[in-house]
Amino acid sequence: MTDQIADPAVRAFVEALNAGDRTAFRAALTPDATMSDDGTDRDLTDWTEREVFTSKGHLDVETAEDEGRTLVANYANSTWGAMRTRWRFTVRDGKVARFEAGQA
């Protein structure tokens, strides 16, 4: 439910992720975007290809705080199954500059 997410950059990120749309996903990010998974910085392109796109990742938002820049969500993909996760986003110039994902 992306209607809980007030920040348009984060909403675009989640919608693109859920649609499996690589082009829209990259468009939601700054060119120098970074990310971390469970506190460890990862290569964004490699991680999203493996954990999102080829494994059919899907994010179901439970709660959104700070205009949607902090989410608790059920995340599922064909590799790991479903898990409760927390996502934090840094937005710059209307795009996601960094996201941090981890188990909630």
Side-chain angles (χ1 to χ4, degrees), residues 48-90:
T48 55
E49 189 60 30
R50 186 181 64 253
E51 300 291 335
V52 176
F53 298 115
T54 60
S55 62
K56 299 178 176 103
H58 195 271
L59 190 71
D60 288 318
V61 176
E62 286 182 12
T63 63
E65 297 175 0
D66 187 27
E67 296 186 1
R69 292 187 189 115
T70 301
L71 306 175
V72 173
N74 287 313
Y75 185 74
N77 69 25
S78 62
T79 302
W80 304 108
M83 66 190 81
R84 193 162 190 256
T85 57
R86 178 174 305 277
W87 298 70
R88 291 187 179 94
F89 296 88
T90 302

Side-chain angles (χ1 to χ4, degrees), residues 2-51:
T2 58
D3 59 340
Q4 297 179 54
I5 302 170
D7 189 294
V10 177
R11 188 171 46 252
F13 174 101
V14 173
E15 289 173 348
L17 184 152
N18 285 344
D21 186 336
R22 287 174 177 87
T23 302
F25 185 83
R26 296 299 292 163
L29 301 171
T30 63
D32 61 344
T34 61
M35 61 87 53
S36 71
D37 180 17
D38 283 329
T40 301
D41 279 1
R42 307 286 183 185
D43 178 274
L44 188 142
T45 302
D46 178 60
W47 187 90
T48 55
E49 189 60 30
R50 186 181 64 253
E51 300 291 335

